[in-house]
Amino acid sequence: MLHKNYGINENGHLTLCGADTVMLAKKYGTPLYLMDETLVRERMRMYRKATEKYFGNGSGIHYASKALSCKEMYRIAADEHVNVDVVSIGELYTAKAAGYPLDHVCFHGNNKTDEDIESALAVGVGEFMVDSFEELRALDTIAGRMGKVQRIMLRITPNIDPHTQKAISTGELDSKFGTPISTGQAEKLTELALSLDHVVLEGFHSHIGSQTFESEPFIEQAEVMLEFTADMKKKLGFEASKVNLGGGFGVAYTESDPRVDYVENIAAIGKEIERICKKYSLKKPAIFMEPGRSIVADAGITLYTVGSVKEIEGVRTYVSVDGGMTDNPRYALYGSKYTALIANKASELKTLNCTIAGRCCESGDMIGENMLIQPAERGDILAVLVTGAYNYSMASNYNRVPRPAMVFVRDGSDRLVVRRESFEDLYRNDI
Ligand code: LLP
């Protein structure tokens, strides 16, 4: 099986962390998102310990909750003593509703409105990741008006190619995110931040992209970030206490994808950070990362019920399921590859090459093409693996399809953490 938390039981059914997925499909209905809570917790702990060990005291992670945001995820992060990153007031309020300590939240986004800034200040968000001059001035003004002083980091662009897809690459010069170093604008932003009364500058942040399988781009990024940090010390007398390298470690979606040993990579990055700090005679700042995908992706499975199996002779076979781009838009958006199987026939050979199609009125509504699965028939449970990241969080109600329920599995027990949307939910705001 693709990852060690996926298995096959004595009935030939696919299991997630030991739980029978066919039984869960019967119990909760389909489409259904399943999450292996044990793995999510393991990953959070692994990241927390590895960053402390290899990046030094005070270092750590922020879970990038855009990958999977629901109350239970913030409860788990709180329980595992992991900070979180939010990118909208919607995510922030979900964390608040879950009772997450908001002083451990950092607030991202390339276009925070005045209302966003006010809302985040009002609930006492830990850190703003300031993206632009406009945001910095607005934050200082609003914080002043509210009688607050806000901790901030500056999001800057190091101009690094993360060796990944364009759509999920963010650290290059031409990016809507952050303020570039190479043009001199990041220095000006730092100067401005240091001159303002209602913000306290802690350090610098950058994020180079997602689905990165090697440590080299992160090392290159660390070099640029620490060189800039040393430069700001020399020019402005500002010594950053924190540097945040963002998220981006990759996850295998298919057998042919590389596997990343996260601890080994963090150790390699940590070693280089030591060297770079020595080179620039810099006191090592606390180093942070913001993993999202690599905490939740392979913990997830989506279950569907097969409807039609349509063989167009000489062309292809469409296996249609009761979900699709509404619960997983990643093939439609990025052509992302997935691994699928028939959960109730998991021990049988995969002999059917097919296109797995969704139920939306849109030809591009697919989970994937050229997918190899066991022979399928109406009523079978189709499982798509590695759907824990950016599936539920990017789901939509296109064609007024309700979003699926989500169930967490841990130690042989299962519990509903997000209810299935009802039809009433779909027209709740219609007048
Ligand atoms: N930090 C920042 C500032 C980010 O922009 C992101 C992701 C992360 C952390 C987390 O990166 P991760 O560890 O998950 O790679 N919807 C796309 C992914 C977009 C990622 C956006 N930013 C997808 O489905 O592949």
Side-chain angles (χ1 to χ4, degrees):
M1 274 287 174
L2 187 59
H3 293 288
K4 68 172 180 11
N5 54 328
Y6 304 140
I8 301 173
N9 67 14
E10 59 290 350
N11 299 323
H13 292 176
L14 170 69
T15 58
L16 176 67
C17 178
D20 187 318
T21 59
V22 179
M23 186 277 285
L24 292 172
K26 214 172 267 161
K27 181 169 170 185
Y28 295 99
T30 59
L32 182 68
Y33 294 116
L34 292 181
M35 287 296 294
D36 173 354
E37 182 181 345
T38 311
L39 182 64
V40 170
R41 286 178 180 272
E42 243 175 61
R43 286 279 159 77
M44 286 185 175
R45 251 170 256 173
M46 171 279 290
Y47 267 119
R48 195 162 50 73
K49 289 191 182 140
T51 47
E52 267 166 25
K53 179 167 176 194
Y54 297 108
F55 293 165
N57 260 348
S59 299
I61 63 158
H62 285 260
Y63 161 60
S65 66
K66 73 204 77 182
L68 177 61
S69 174
C70 61
K71 281 159 72 174
E72 195 62 9
M73 279 305 297
Y74 297 104
R75 290 188 198 114
I76 291 172
D79 200 40
E80 296 294 339
H81 307 288
V82 160
N83 306 313
V84 304
D85 135 11
V86 302
V87 73
S88 69
I89 298 297
E91 288 179 359
L92 180 63
Y93 281 5
T94 308
K96 181 171 182 281
Y100 186 86
L102 300 184
D103 54 328
H104 288 270
V105 173
C106 70
F107 182 26
H108 273 283
N110 67 305
N111 187 21
K112 303 180 188 79
T113 64
D114 288 358
E115 291 73 27
D116 291 346
I117 294 173
E118 264 169 37
S119 307
L121 285 169
V123 299
V125 83
E127 229 171 20
F128 268 68
M129 310 311 248
V130 174
D131 193 273
S132 65
F133 287 95
E134 287 84 355
E135 180 188 336
L136 181 54
R137 290 195 194 94
L139 173 59
D140 185 63
T141 307
I142 297 170
R145 199 194 308 138
M146 293 171 75
K148 299 206 172 210
V149 176
Q150 178 62 48
R151 293 192 287 124
I152 65 165
M153 301 273 285
L154 299 181
R155 174 151 183 184
I156 58 182
T157 35
N159 201 6
I160 303 281
D161 176 1
H163 312 164
T164 188
Q165 291 163 276
K166 187 80 193 145
I168 52 176
S169 151
T170 56
E172 293 169 72
L173 176 61
D174 180 4
S175 169
K176 73 165 181 166
F177 301 102
T179 299
I181 297 176
S182 59
T183 59
Q185 286 159 292
E187 180 182 335
K188 294 220 164 63
L189 191 66
T190 309
E191 223 176 334
L192 177 63
L194 293 172
S195 74
L196 300 174
D197 292 334
H198 302 286
V199 296
V200 176
L201 180 61
E202 298 190 315
F204 305 107
H205 171 282
S206 64
H207 169 76
I208 53 174
S210 215
Q211 264 308 62
T212 297
F213 289 99
E214 312 133 29
S215 58
E216 280 71 30
F218 293 104
I219 293 169
E220 254 184 85
Q221 176 195 13
E223 174 97 43
V224 177
M225 294 292 287
L226 292 166
E227 185 186 0
F228 178 74
T229 302
D231 207 32
M232 293 306 96
K233 186 180 162 197
K234 202 164 71 197
K235 289 186 175 148
L236 307 175
F238 169 67
E239 206 164 343
S241 59
K242 288 184 183 173
V243 166
N244 188 322
L245 300 176
F249 274 129
V251 175
Y253 285 83
T254 63
E255 291 293 351
S256 59
D257 284 337
R259 310 299 157 116
V260 182
D261 183 327
Y262 305 110
V263 176
E264 212 170 80
N265 274 272
I266 289 167
I269 299 167
K271 199 166 145 226
E272 290 300 306
I273 287 174
E274 290 283 341
R275 176 190 61 75
I276 300 164
C277 285
K278 279 205 187 95
K279 177 171 149 194
Y280 295 109
S281 317
L282 198 65
K283 182 168 163 264
K284 193 168 76 177
I287 306 286
F288 285 83
M289 290 194 95
E290 290 169 340
R293 189 190 312 269
S294 53
I295 288 182
V296 287
D298 47 333
I301 288 182
T302 308
L303 300 177
Y304 304 97
T305 301
V306 173
S308 66
V309 181
K310 196 180 284 178
E311 187 187 344
I312 304 178
E313 278 172 30
V315 181
R316 63 165 106 195
T317 300
Y318 283 100
V319 173
S320 289
V321 296
D322 55 354
M325 68 187 289
T326 45
D327 60 81
N328 182 1
R330 297 189 71 257
Y331 187 75
L333 272 175
Y334 319 114
S336 305
K337 297 227 175 349
Y338 280 97
T339 303
L341 67 154
I342 300 294
N344 50 302
K345 298 173 180 167
S347 49
E348 293 178 24
L349 283 181
K350 289 182 164 186
T351 53
L352 176 65
N353 188 312
C354 64
T355 290
I356 300 174
R359 67 192 310 192
C360 279
C361 192
E362 177 115 357
S363 310
D365 171 20
M366 294 167 184
I367 297 296
E369 291 168 278
N370 274 320
M371 298 187 75
L372 199 59
I373 61 172
Q374 291 82 2
E377 59 197 314
R378 188 176 177 86
D380 277 345
I381 302 299
L382 182 113
V384 179
L385 307 181
V386 196
T387 57
Y390 304 109
N391 278 226
Y392 172 69
S393 65
M394 293 176 83
S396 78
N397 290 127
Y398 182 45
N399 287 176
R400 291 245 145 162
V401 174
R403 288 181 182 81
M406 192 177 339
V407 166
F408 277 33
V409 177
R410 186 188 184 188
D411 300 331
S413 68
D414 48 271
R415 65 181 200 288
L416 186 66
V417 309
V418 179
R419 268 191 291 274
R420 184 176 301 286
E421 274 179 345
S422 67
F423 292 109
E424 290 74 27
D425 288 333
L426 296 174
Y427 53 76
R428 184 181 302 285
N429 296 320
D430 293 10
I431 291 167

